[in-house]
């Protein structure tokens, strides 16, 4: 084992060495800005491959029957392409250890296997639909007690934390309501009340480019690599980051035991995606900001942390380096919203976000349909809410396409040389001029 490998083995953790290094001189070397670190990787590949090769092999040979395995023996347990990706992710997530699995939900499954029957979980009331579904399953089948509270209110969390609290699961911003959670304050109060409780943060909406929840006091951060990290909607992946190596070992145990580690080919694709995260996110955010301002200036109620009108603007910017590229707005009518979504051409009607292509959806009918209507109502999820997940296209094309759809659906009127919102007032929607359909 070379010196540089030993130095990378933080806290004596036994990560397999060559050729899996991401940035071998990790410890002690100069840290570049994140945009640089995202693309800067090294390997000890025997041919000096610039891109870490795909080790498309399920098994690795041992030198002899008795010598024991090399660094790798079986891909469920470890694979050089995956290890390379994991080290690269650890670096950009400011984590001691990162783990890559088959999907974001796979990551949460691995994390929640730390729980035992009788354990209590505290979480929000505006969660990703899949998270909601998995927690409901754990609660009805595995004896886990799940408390859904309004985690935007730190004081609502405090009285529920007890010595039975095993996990506090947070997501910020939430989606599609774009509510901001004070991760640092909640982590502090939870750890003070119960030193064993784990604070887990779903960072999918921001990615490590915009936020590092471990630095805010979280014990475990995870995110769907399907979104911003991959950026092209061509793979599913999930990543987990921790600083406590004992927790990392437990999570690795589950991954090895259940076989949900990310495949070599998908590890390669995720690595490729991560290298362009900065440039994609910068463009997506800039586009999202313009679109949010466009909608707001036309009278729509827009939820986006890049807007000063967001009620938790300061809180968001105290934790994050950007606003992300997901926003939502309301039209006042479910059928108008449906018509808008269906009238767009550039905006793909699709769940998910973080992709180079722009997407539009109606969460209550799509990503959040697994939450029943009654619960959606209790959680004040407006049925007409439209979610925009902004891509890297030319922003004027995106705004033109959206304007045309808004006019066609009757929620914005066309005047001689401009578009004017009739937005939130349903009766005004009838005042649309004859050119409305083709107007903009
Ligand atoms: C998509 C998503 C997940 C789940 O990730 P998958 O890769 O689809 O399994 C979890 N949390 C949030 C916030 C997401 O957007």
């Amino acid at each position: 084992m070379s010196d540089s490998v030993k130095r990378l083995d933080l806290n004596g953790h036994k990560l397999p060495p060559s050729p899996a290094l991401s940035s071998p001189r990790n410890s002690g070397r100069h840290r570049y800005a994140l945009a640089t670190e995202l693309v800067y990787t090294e390997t000890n590949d025997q041919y000096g491959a610039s891109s870490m090769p795909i080790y498309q092999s399920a098994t690795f040979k041992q030198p002899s029957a008795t010598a024991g395995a090399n660094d790798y023996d079986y891909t469920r347990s470890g694979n050089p392409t995956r290890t390379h990706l994991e080290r690269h992710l650890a670096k950009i997530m400011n984590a001691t250890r990162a783990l890559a699995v088959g999907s974001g939900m796979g990551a949460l499954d691995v994390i929640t296997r730390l729980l035992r029957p009788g354990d209590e979980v505290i979480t929000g009331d505006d969660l990703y639909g899949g998270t909601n579904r998995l927690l409901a399953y754990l609660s009805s089948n595995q004896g886990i007690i799940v408390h859904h509270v309004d985690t935007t209110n730190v004081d609502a969390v405090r009285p529920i934390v007890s010595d039975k609290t095993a996990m506090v699961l947070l997501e910020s911003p939430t989606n599609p309501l774009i509510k901001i959670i004070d991760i640092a304050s909640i982590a502090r109060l939870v750890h003070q009340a119960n030193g064993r409780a784990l604070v887990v943060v779903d960072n999918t909406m921001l990615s490590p480019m915009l936020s590092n929840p471990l630095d805010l006091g979280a014990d475990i951060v995870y995110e769907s690599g399907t979104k911003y990290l991959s950026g092209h909607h061509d793979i599913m992946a999930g990543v987990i980051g921790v600083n406590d190596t004992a927790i990392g070992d437990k999570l690795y145990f589950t991954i090895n035991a259940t076989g949900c580690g990310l495949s070599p080919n998908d590890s390669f694709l995720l690595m490729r995606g991560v290298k362009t995260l900065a440039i994609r996110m910068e463009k997506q955010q800039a586009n999202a900001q313009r679109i949010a301002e466009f909608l707001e200036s036309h009278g729509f109620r827009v939820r986006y942390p890049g807007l000063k009108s967001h009620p938790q603007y300061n809180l968001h910017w105290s934790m994050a380096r950007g606003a992300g590229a997901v926003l939502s707005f309301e039209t006042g009518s479910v059928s108008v919203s449906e018509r808008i979504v269906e009238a767009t051409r550039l905006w793909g009607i699709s769940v998910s976000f973080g992709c180079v292509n722009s997407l539009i959806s109606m969460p209550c009918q799509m990503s959040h349909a697994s939450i029943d209507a009654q619960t959606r109502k209790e959680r004040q999820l407006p049925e007409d809410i439209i979610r925009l997940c902004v891509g890297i296209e030319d922003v004027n094309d995106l705004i033109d396409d959206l304007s045309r759809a808004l006019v066609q659906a009757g929620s914005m009127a066309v005047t001689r040389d401009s578009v004017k919102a009739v937005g939130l007032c349903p009766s005004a929607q009838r005042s649309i001029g004859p050119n409305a359909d083709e107007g903009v």
Side-chain angles (χ1 to χ4, degrees), residues 103-105 128 131 171 175 202 204 224 226-227 236-237 353:
S103 71
M105 289 321 303
Y128 174 72
T131 302
E171 206 183 304
N175 126 57
D202 178 337
T204 310
S224 168
T226 318
K227 316 287 169 62
M236 305 286 305
F353 58 86

Side-chain angles (χ1 to χ4, degrees), residues 209-227:
M209 165 96 188
L210 302 182
S211 181
N212 299 107
L214 294 177
D215 296 345
L216 299 171
D219 301 292
I220 303 178
V221 59
Y222 74 101
E223 70 179 71
S224 168
T226 318
K227 316 287 169 62

